[in-house]
Amino acid sequence: MGAKEGFSPTTIPCLLLLFCLGCKCLASELQVTQTATVKVDASPEHARKIPDTLFGVFFEEINHAGAGGIWAELVSNRGFEAGGPHTPSNIHPWSIIGDDSSIFVATDRSSCFSRNIIALRMEVLCNDCPAGGVGIYNPGFWGMNIEDGKTYNLVMYVKSPETADLTVSLTSLDGLQNLASVNIKVDGTSNWTKLEQKLVANGINRTSRLQITTNKKGVVWFDQVSLMPADTYKGHGFRTDLVSMLLDLKPRFLRFPGGCFVEGEWLRNAFRWRESIGPWEERPGHFGDVWHYWTDDGLGYYEYLQLSEDLGAAPVWVFNNGISHHDEVDTAIIAPFVKDVLDSLEFARGSANSTWGSVRAAMGHQEPFLVQYVANGNEDCGKKHYRGNYLKFYNAIREAYPDIQMISNCDGSSRPLDHPADLFDFHVYTDSKTLFSMRNTFDRTSRDGPKAFVSEYAVWKSDAGKGSLLASLAEAAFLTGLERNSDIVQMASYAPLFVNANDRKWNPDAIVFNTWQHYGTPSYWMQMLFRESSGAIVHPITINSRYSGSLAASAITWQDSGNSFLRVKIVNFGSHAVRVRISTTGLGTSVNAVGSTVTVLTSGNVMDENSFSHPQKVVPVKRQLRDAAEQMRVKLAPHSLTSFDLALAQSKLVTLVEKDEEYLISRV
């Protein structure tokens, strides 16, 4: 009798095993890809205009952001003042060419400038000097970037009792490569002479130095030795490449010059606006004792105002209110500080005929700078004399300039302020998980009080690295909350903005640079996806998903060259992919796939960073939608920021309809 057809005893376990494995694979797939529905209410009655000032930049003199950074001066310690007022003093980073048998240099107090009295005396001792001569050199800020064919403007003050023949050169750091040279004859006189020359480079070297040499025995004094590239931005003294990075962000305001730089560890080292204006040669400079380096203050109050104008950004002047980290001025004697701030406002806003406005006009800016925002100190709310001092400044400024918006250091996000203010300052530096969880911070803030100015935000602890993808995603989620709450949040800026790779006092930062290179961290590129938000229209948005605790989103409509777009930004802070269905109601027009784009910021590892060797490892990747039938593929990658820019046409309301795991544009 033949055997019955069926499964053998060994076949059944195998099938069961395959079935179990299949179930596990299916479960795994369901685990990996989450689902969510994002609904945008674009109806006019629920739409709201975002303040024109929402996103800007905050510049602090930290990490050599200014001196040796955006300020293009190539000579470090150009006036020999960094060693202090007592002589002899340290002239670092200046050094000598030759040895102590052929040259002797020392500082003295013989300068022709009363506010910076230190000068350098160079005595050449040799009758038969070595080939190439002896002298002094300055390596700038970790080397000078000298580029072939470019012109560099030299200015220096010299005097010599006898005729002296000098050679000024741009060379490699070891002096072996000569990039440019000019011979200068100094007439013997007891008076100081201002010398100006143009040096045109005939080679390239990223770590060059400026050197001044002679073969003739004698004595020569030097002071205020400056070397500036001729191609600074608009001729205003700023590094063009770094300004371009700021322009790309389309900042609506510039907060300056700090930060802790404004306060100082001690008031004697705080930033003083008066000392930073007028001819650059006459500025005394000062030691920034918070971030521990000297600044010649070539980048001063006037230059900050000029930079604001060049960026098309509203200046936000953070002034010292008589408080540093370690000492305070009693309110009873704060009046001179109040007058000082009023004078600073007259310098910016006064007519060319006013006392301080005339100083501004003499510097080349006849028309006033429209300063409409001032911050009364920095992070001083808990200090003993802050409230008393604050009211003195507030009342005096309100009387003189009733249109100026005043910013308190005290946080009003969770409880009312006990003093008048137009805005309150809000600073947050924390780890990525905490900042992501703060995306709803301002949901509960009272709408009756002053507006919020989130002037410093960033992820900065261990998961930030030197600028990680993870940090940028938490920050993006936080910003979606600021957009949604922009009826109470008026301004926001990341911090710090710049870091010179040779002086990382603070990590991370938005823009990293050295003498000739620069790149944006993921936090910089994240901000690029928010640059159209200021002045746009924000719409209510909801997320329905079991996975919504790892998602954050916002929706705006904005215009560019007459074209309108609906932008939906979604942050996936989790480690799973998410398939999202986006729907809109109340839009009142159709979506044109031609001109619509999807931009994604992500990478293979959440701790990935950009660097000089891989400056675009973590950058937004943008693709175009080809037609109305093209898939939008609203599948969010793990740990990603996705921005959908949907071009709006004149038609009826639209929604995004799911079909075959794709998302097609259709009318309802």
Side-chain angles (χ1 to χ4, degrees):
M1 200 168 158
K4 218 174 182 181
E5 280 192 29
F7 297 115
S8 72
T10 58
T11 304
I12 293 173
C14 291
L15 289 173
L16 287 173
L17 177 61
L18 289 172
F19 176 75
C20 291
L21 288 173
C23 289
K24 286 182 180 179
C25 289
L26 180 60
S28 175
E29 175 64 23
L30 289 173
Q31 259 190 341
V32 169
T33 303
Q34 304 291 330
T35 60
T37 300
V38 173
K39 297 181 179 180
V40 178
D41 179 358
S43 58
E45 58 268 26
H46 294 135
R48 176 173 39 79
K49 186 177 185 295
I50 295 174
D52 292 334
T53 56
L54 184 58
F55 293 127
V57 292
F58 163 45
F59 183 97
E60 177 167 14
E61 180 60 272
I62 180 178
N63 305 321
H64 275 87
I70 197 170
W71 188 243
E73 173 64 64
L74 294 174
V75 178
S76 176
N77 189 18
R78 67 185 178 195
F80 308 100
E81 307 288 333
H86 304 293
T87 59
S89 58
N90 189 353
I91 62 171
H92 179 80
W94 291 91
S95 192
I96 63 170
I97 299 169
D99 56 34
D100 58 8
S101 67
S102 59
I103 187 172
F104 177 85
V105 298
T107 52
D108 62 23
R109 298 172 61 85
S110 64
S111 174
C112 59
F113 301 110
S114 60
R115 291 201 295 172
N116 44 14
I117 200 65
I118 304 300
L120 183 72
R121 180 182 181 274
M122 180 181 79
E123 183 176 2
V124 177
L125 306 174
C126 51
N127 285 310
D128 185 17
C129 294
V134 298
I136 56 176
Y137 72 86
N138 187 290
F141 300 89
W142 301 283
M144 300 178 181
N145 178 37
I146 303 300
E147 298 183 342
D148 189 29
K150 288 195 174 182
T151 299
Y152 299 86
N153 296 326
L154 171 74
V155 179
M156 64 179 183
Y157 289 77
V158 299
K159 73 171 183 177
S160 178
E162 298 178 354
T163 301
D165 295 314
L166 304 177
T167 299
V168 180
S169 305
L170 299 176
T171 74
S172 56
L173 204 53
D174 59 11
L176 298 179
Q177 179 189 12
N178 191 300
L179 301 162
S181 287
V182 61
N183 296 318
I184 300 175
K185 185 175 184 179
V186 180
D187 295 329
T189 177
S190 60
N191 297 321
W192 285 91
T193 301
K194 180 180 182 179
L195 300 175
E196 299 182 76
Q197 292 285 338
K198 294 185 181 298
L199 290 90
V200 180
N202 58 14
I204 186 170
N205 191 295
R206 305 300 189 183
T207 55
S208 306
R209 72 186 192 186
L210 171 72
Q211 64 180 42
I212 308 170
T213 57
T214 183
N215 286 294
K216 185 178 180 181
K217 186 176 183 179
V219 178
V220 183
W221 278 265
F222 300 96
D223 198 10
Q224 298 302 326
V225 182
S226 170
L227 185 71
M228 290 281 279
D231 61 349
T232 62
Y233 187 74
K234 292 188 175 182
H236 291 157
F238 305 109
R239 262 180 67 169
T240 301
D241 58 336
L242 298 185
V243 172
S244 294
M245 293 284 282
L246 299 186
L247 287 169
D248 286 346
L249 288 175
K250 299 181 181 178
R252 295 303 183 95
F253 65 84
L254 172 67
R255 179 178 183 248
F256 67 86
C260 298
F261 181 74
V262 169
E263 302 164 277
E265 292 289 343
W266 299 92
L267 280 171
R268 62 177 174 268
N269 292 319
F271 177 77
R272 304 283 184 172
W273 75 271
R274 292 175 193 265
E275 306 295 307
S276 74
I277 63 169
W280 61 266
E281 303 97 324
E282 299 177 11
R283 302 181 191 183
H286 79 289
F287 178 71
D289 60 353
V290 175
W291 306 121
H292 307 295
Y293 59 89
W294 174 265
T295 61
D296 289 313
D297 288 335
L299 177 56
Y301 182 52
Y302 174 88
E303 286 74 23
Y304 285 118
L305 293 169
Q306 184 63 70
L307 180 59
S308 299
E309 185 174 274
D310 289 348
L311 294 175
V316 181
W317 163 221
V318 184
F319 61 77
N320 184 287
N321 60 356
I323 298 175
S324 76
H325 287 179
H326 297 299
D327 57 344
E328 301 180 41
V329 176
D330 191 290
T331 302
I333 53 175
I334 197 64
F337 287 76
V338 174
K339 183 181 184 303
D340 184 66
V341 170
L342 291 175
D343 289 345
S344 76
L345 294 173
E346 182 178 281
F347 175 88
R349 294 182 38 142
S351 73
N353 296 322
S354 64
T355 301
W356 286 102
S358 64
V359 177
R360 180 202 69 241
M363 294 180 68
H365 204 282
Q366 287 288 323
E367 296 302 315
F369 293 105
L370 188 57
V371 175
Q372 292 183 305
Y373 299 92
V374 296
N376 197 324
N378 175 73
E379 296 180 347
D380 295 327
C381 183
K383 304 291 179 62
K384 178 180 178 181
H385 295 294
Y386 180 72
R387 281 170 172 77
N389 290 2
Y390 174 92
L391 290 173
K392 292 289 187 180
F393 285 100
Y394 180 92
N395 291 332
I397 295 170
R398 182 63 83 218
E399 180 179 353
Y401 302 97
D403 63 308
I404 285 183
Q405 301 284 289
M406 278 176 275
I407 305 162
S408 168
N409 287 176
C410 299
D411 178 11
S413 63
S414 58
R415 56 187 171 185
L417 299 183
D418 60 1
H419 53 274
D422 298 295
L423 298 99
F424 64 84
D425 224 343
F426 185 94
H427 294 185
V428 55
Y429 295 98
T430 187
D431 61 272
S432 62
K433 288 183 179 179
T434 301
L435 191 61
F436 180 82
S437 71
M438 292 177 67
R439 62 195 182 281
N440 300 321
T441 294
F442 292 96
D443 289 3
R444 298 171 295 278
T445 299
S446 170
R447 267 51 181 171
D448 295 330
K451 304 293 187 181
F453 182 11
V454 184
S455 62
E456 299 182 32
Y457 73 85
V459 172
W460 73 298
K461 291 192 175 180
S462 58
D463 53 6
K466 293 181 179 179
S468 67
L469 169 66
L470 185 64
S472 71
L473 297 179
E475 291 154 2
F478 182 66
L479 293 194
T480 64
L482 301 191
E483 287 182 324
R484 289 185 294 98
N485 286 286
S486 55
D487 57 327
I488 188 64
V489 180
Q490 187 166 322
M491 310 167 88
S493 50
Y494 178 92
L497 182 60
F498 283 115
V499 60
N500 187 314
N502 297 287
D503 184 33
R504 287 184 177 270
K505 291 289 193 302
W506 187 288
N507 281 311
D509 310 87
I511 300 170
V512 185
F513 65 89
N514 56 23
T515 61
W516 62 285
Q517 296 168 295
H518 65 271
Y519 65 85
T521 62
S523 294
Y524 171 86
W525 291 107
M526 174 276 297
Q527 292 176 69
M528 290 285 282
L529 298 181
F530 286 83
R531 63 182 181 173
E532 279 82 19
S533 297
S534 299
I537 304 299
V538 65
H539 304 287
I541 190 168
T542 57
I543 303 173
N544 295 317
S545 174
R546 295 174 61 186
Y547 195 64
S548 59
S550 295
L551 301 176
S554 65
I556 64 169
T557 50
W558 62 284
Q559 291 190 331
D560 180 38
S561 302
N563 298 314
S564 296
F565 297 87
L566 171 66
R567 172 173 291 180
V568 180
K569 295 187 292 290
I570 308 175
V571 178
N572 180 6
F573 196 63
S575 56
H576 298 304
V578 182
R579 194 170 296 283
V580 176
R581 180 179 185 274
I582 300 176
S583 66
T584 67
T585 59
L587 193 58
T589 187
S590 64
V591 171
N592 184 358
V594 178
S596 295
T597 60
V598 178
T599 305
V600 181
L601 178 67
T602 191
S603 191
N605 188 301
V606 292
M607 295 308 295
D608 279 349
E609 304 175 355
N610 293 331
S611 62
F612 289 124
S613 57
H614 297 95
Q616 295 194 323
K617 185 173 186 178
V618 187
V619 297
V621 176
K622 184 176 182 178
R623 71 177 181 84
Q624 194 84 22
L625 294 177
R626 290 182 292 275
D627 54 52
E630 190 208 356
Q631 58 195 16
M632 287 188 60
R633 295 193 183 278
V634 188
K635 184 175 180 181
L636 309 179
H639 298 114
S640 64
L641 167 60
T642 304
S643 177
F644 302 93
D645 273 314
L646 307 180
L648 303 181
Q650 294 302 317
S651 185
K652 290 202 172 187
L653 182 67
V654 299
T655 187
L656 302 178
V657 181
E658 181 178 356
K659 182 180 178 183
D660 297 331
E661 298 185 345
E662 299 176 357
Y663 293 82
L664 308 181
I665 300 170
S666 68
R667 301 175 185 175
V668 292

PDB file of all heavy atoms in Angstrom, residues 348-365:
ATOM      1  N   ALA A 348      25.347 106.237  18.410  1.00  0.00           N
ATOM      2  CA  ALA A 348      24.703 105.435  17.362  1.00  0.00           C
ATOM      3  C   ALA A 348      23.584 106.189  16.676  1.00  0.00           C
ATOM      4  O   ALA A 348      23.484 106.184  15.446  1.00  0.00           O
ATOM      5  CB  ALA A 348      24.165 104.140  17.959  1.00  0.00           C
ATOM      6  N   ARG A 349      22.753 106.891  17.444  1.00  0.00           N
ATOM      7  CA  ARG A 349      21.498 107.424  16.919  1.00  0.00           C
ATOM      8  C   ARG A 349      21.475 108.937  16.754  1.00  0.00           C
ATOM      9  O   ARG A 349      20.582 109.471  16.098  1.00  0.00           O
ATOM     10  CB  ARG A 349      20.346 107.018  17.840  1.00  0.00           C
ATOM     11  CG  ARG A 349      20.106 105.535  17.856  1.00  0.00           C
ATOM     12  CD  ARG A 349      18.923 105.140  18.745  1.00  0.00           C
ATOM     13  NE  ARG A 349      17.802 106.051  18.709  1.00  0.00           N
ATOM     14  CZ  ARG A 349      16.530 105.690  18.736  1.00  0.00           C
ATOM     15  NH1 ARG A 349      16.212 104.399  18.777  1.00  0.00           N
ATOM     16  NH2 ARG A 349      15.555 106.571  18.745  1.00  0.00           N
ATOM     17  N   GLY A 350      22.438 109.613  17.349  1.00  0.00           N
ATOM     18  CA  GLY A 350      22.410 111.067  17.326  1.00  0.00           C
ATOM     19  C   GLY A 350      22.710 111.646  15.954  1.00  0.00           C
ATOM     20  O   GLY A 350      23.309 110.994  15.093  1.00  0.00           O
ATOM     21  N   SER A 351      22.308 112.888  15.743  1.00  0.00           N
ATOM     22  CA  SER A 351      22.611 113.567  14.486  1.00  0.00           C
ATOM     23  C   SER A 351      24.105 113.819  14.382  1.00  0.00           C
ATOM     24  O   SER A 351      24.836 113.758  15.379  1.00  0.00           O
ATOM     25  CB  SER A 351      21.854 114.892  14.410  1.00  0.00           C
ATOM     26  OG  SER A 351      22.447 115.843  15.294  1.00  0.00           O
ATOM     27  N   ALA A 352      24.534 114.112  13.174  1.00  0.00           N
ATOM     28  CA  ALA A 352      25.958 114.382  12.952  1.00  0.00           C
ATOM     29  C   ALA A 352      26.407 115.655  13.650  1.00  0.00           C
ATOM     30  O   ALA A 352      27.614 115.913  13.746  1.00  0.00           O
ATOM     31  CB  ALA A 352      26.250 114.469  11.456  1.00  0.00           C
ATOM     32  N   ASN A 353      25.471 116.445  14.166  1.00  0.00           N
ATOM     33  CA  ASN A 353      25.809 117.679  14.883  1.00  0.00           C
ATOM     34  C   ASN A 353      25.839 117.491  16.393  1.00  0.00           C
ATOM     35  O   ASN A 353      26.243 118.401  17.121  1.00  0.00           O
ATOM     36  CB  ASN A 353      24.790 118.774  14.538  1.00  0.00           C
ATOM     37  CG  ASN A 353      24.832 119.143  13.069  1.00  0.00           C
ATOM     38  OD1 ASN A 353      25.901 119.197  12.460  1.00  0.00           O
ATOM     39  ND2 ASN A 353      23.665 119.388  12.478  1.00  0.00           N
ATOM     40  N   SER A 354      25.384 116.325  16.866  1.00  0.00           N
ATOM     41  CA  SER A 354      25.397 116.082  18.308  1.00  0.00           C
ATOM     42  C   SER A 354      26.811 115.757  18.775  1.00  0.00           C
ATOM     43  O   SER A 354      27.697 115.453  17.972  1.00  0.00           O
ATOM     44  CB  SER A 354      24.442 114.938  18.651  1.00  0.00           C
ATOM     45  OG  SER A 354      24.877 113.730  18.054  1.00  0.00           O
ATOM     46  N   THR A 355      26.999 115.809  20.075  1.00  0.00           N
ATOM     47  CA  THR A 355      28.348 115.591  20.635  1.00  0.00           C
ATOM     48  C   THR A 355      28.928 114.253  20.205  1.00  0.00           C
ATOM     49  O   THR A 355      30.032 114.180  19.657  1.00  0.00           O
ATOM     50  CB  THR A 355      28.298 115.672  22.170  1.00  0.00           C
ATOM     51  OG1 THR A 355      27.808 116.954  22.561  1.00  0.00           O
ATOM     52  CG2 THR A 355      29.692 115.457  22.759  1.00  0.00           C
ATOM     53  N   TRP A 356      28.190 113.168  20.443  1.00  0.00           N
ATOM     54  CA  TRP A 356      28.729 111.857  20.113  1.00  0.00           C
ATOM     55  C   TRP A 356      28.385 111.430  18.689  1.00  0.00           C
ATOM     56  O   TRP A 356      29.133 110.676  18.070  1.00  0.00           O
ATOM     57  CB  TRP A 356      28.237 110.815  21.122  1.00  0.00           C
ATOM     58  CG  TRP A 356      28.934 110.977  22.438  1.00  0.00           C
ATOM     59  CD1 TRP A 356      28.443 111.564  23.569  1.00  0.00           C
ATOM     60  CD2 TRP A 356      30.288 110.599  22.728  1.00  0.00           C
ATOM     61  NE1 TRP A 356      29.397 111.568  24.557  1.00  0.00           N
ATOM     62  CE2 TRP A 356      30.540 110.971  24.073  1.00  0.00           C
ATOM     63  CE3 TRP A 356      31.294 109.989  22.002  1.00  0.00           C
ATOM     64  CZ2 TRP A 356      31.773 110.744  24.691  1.00  0.00           C
ATOM     65  CZ3 TRP A 356      32.524 109.759  22.614  1.00  0.00           C
ATOM     66  CH2 TRP A 356      32.756 110.134  23.942  1.00  0.00           C
ATOM     67  N   GLY A 357      27.282 111.929  18.163  1.00  0.00           N
ATOM     68  CA  GLY A 357      26.972 111.651  16.767  1.00  0.00           C
ATOM     69  C   GLY A 357      28.015 112.221  15.827  1.00  0.00           C
ATOM     70  O   GLY A 357      28.292 111.656  14.761  1.00  0.00           O
ATOM     71  N   SER A 358      28.630 113.327  16.218  1.00  0.00           N
ATOM     72  CA  SER A 358      29.682 113.924  15.388  1.00  0.00           C
ATOM     73  C   SER A 358      30.921 113.034  15.354  1.00  0.00           C
ATOM     74  O   SER A 358      31.644 113.004  14.358  1.00  0.00           O
ATOM     75  CB  SER A 358      30.041 115.318  15.904  1.00  0.00           C
ATOM     76  OG  SER A 358      30.602 115.251  17.207  1.00  0.00           O
ATOM     77  N   VAL A 359      31.169 112.302  16.438  1.00  0.00           N
ATOM     78  CA  VAL A 359      32.299 111.358  16.458  1.00  0.00           C
ATOM     79  C   VAL A 359      32.029 110.231  15.464  1.00  0.00           C
ATOM     80  O   VAL A 359      32.919 109.830  14.702  1.00  0.00           O
ATOM     81  CB  VAL A 359      32.523 110.803  17.875  1.00  0.00           C
ATOM     82  CG1 VAL A 359      33.655 109.770  17.872  1.00  0.00           C
ATOM     83  CG2 VAL A 359      32.829 111.930  18.854  1.00  0.00           C
ATOM     84  N   ARG A 360      30.813 109.742  15.480  1.00  0.00           N
ATOM     85  CA  ARG A 360      30.428 108.699  14.504  1.00  0.00           C
ATOM     86  C   ARG A 360      30.577 109.218  13.079  1.00  0.00           C
ATOM     87  O   ARG A 360      31.119 108.526  12.194  1.00  0.00           O
ATOM     88  CB  ARG A 360      28.983 108.267  14.755  1.00  0.00           C
ATOM     89  CG  ARG A 360      28.473 107.198  13.796  1.00  0.00           C
ATOM     90  CD  ARG A 360      26.956 107.167  13.712  1.00  0.00           C
ATOM     91  NE  ARG A 360      26.413 108.355  13.054  1.00  0.00           N
ATOM     92  CZ  ARG A 360      25.592 109.217  13.625  1.00  0.00           C
ATOM     93  NH1 ARG A 360      25.199 109.059  14.876  1.00  0.00           N
ATOM     94  NH2 ARG A 360      25.157 110.274  12.943  1.00  0.00           N
ATOM     95  N   ALA A 361      30.086 110.437  12.839  1.00  0.00           N
ATOM     96  CA  ALA A 361      30.163 111.018  11.497  1.00  0.00           C
ATOM     97  C   ALA A 361      31.615 111.158  11.061  1.00  0.00           C
ATOM     98  O   ALA A 361      31.949 110.914   9.895  1.00  0.00           O
ATOM     99  CB  ALA A 361      29.447 112.361  11.471  1.00  0.00           C
ATOM    100  N   ALA A 362      32.486 111.549  11.989  1.00  0.00           N
ATOM    101  CA  ALA A 362      33.909 111.697  11.660  1.00  0.00           C
ATOM    102  C   ALA A 362      34.539 110.360  11.300  1.00  0.00           C
ATOM    103  O   ALA A 362      35.535 110.313  10.566  1.00  0.00           O
ATOM    104  CB  ALA A 362      34.646 112.329  12.837  1.00  0.00           C
ATOM    105  N   MET A 363      33.955 109.273  11.787  1.00  0.00           N
ATOM    106  CA  MET A 363      34.466 107.941  11.462  1.00  0.00           C
ATOM    107  C   MET A 363      33.947 107.449  10.120  1.00  0.00           C
ATOM    108  O   MET A 363      34.356 106.375   9.667  1.00  0.00           O
ATOM    109  CB  MET A 363      34.093 106.949  12.567  1.00  0.00           C
ATOM    110  CG  MET A 363      34.760 107.236  13.906  1.00  0.00           C
ATOM    111  SD  MET A 363      34.297 106.039  15.186  1.00  0.00           S
ATOM    112  CE  MET A 363      35.097 104.561  14.567  1.00  0.00           C
ATOM    113  N   GLY A 364      33.040 108.203   9.499  1.00  0.00           N
ATOM    114  CA  GLY A 364      32.617 107.868   8.144  1.00  0.00           C
ATOM    115  C   GLY A 364      31.165 107.499   7.983  1.00  0.00           C
ATOM    116  O   GLY A 364      30.749 107.103   6.885  1.00  0.00           O
ATOM    117  N   HIS A 365      30.366 107.610   9.056  1.00  0.00           N
ATOM    118  CA  HIS A 365      28.955 107.234   8.952  1.00  0.00           C
ATOM    119  C   HIS A 365      28.098 108.427   9.351  1.00  0.00           C
ATOM    120  O   HIS A 365      27.742 108.594  10.518  1.00  0.00           O
ATOM    121  CB  HIS A 365      28.657 106.023   9.834  1.00  0.00           C
ATOM    122  CG  HIS A 365      27.457 105.230   9.398  1.00  0.00           C
ATOM    123  ND1 HIS A 365      26.165 105.629   9.661  1.00  0.00           N
ATOM    124  CD2 HIS A 365      27.364 104.059   8.702  1.00  0.00           C
ATOM    125  CE1 HIS A 365      25.324 104.741   9.163  1.00  0.00           C
ATOM    126  NE2 HIS A 365      26.024 103.770   8.572  1.00  0.00           N
TER     127      HIS A 365
END
